[in-house]
């Protein structure tokens, strides 16, 4: 289960980076992490 969570988080981060590059022309700023 933990591995699935880690894989999902990495995939989500990669998807946001790629989307930011394609949509905004490379202006990517990481969002602050949510504190659980």
């Amino acid at each position: 289960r933990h591995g699935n969570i880690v894989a999902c988080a990495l995939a989500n981060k990669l998807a946001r980076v790629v989307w930011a590059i394609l949509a905004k022309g490379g202006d990517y700023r990481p969002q602050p992490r949510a504190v659980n």
Side-chain angles (χ1 to χ4, degrees), residues 9-33:
L10 290 174
N12 183 285
K13 184 177 183 69
L14 179 62
R16 281 190 291 145
V17 171
V18 172
W19 176 84
I21 291 171
L22 293 176
K24 302 177 186 175
D27 185 19
Y28 171 70
R29 292 182 303 276
Q31 297 176 351
R33 298 186 67 164

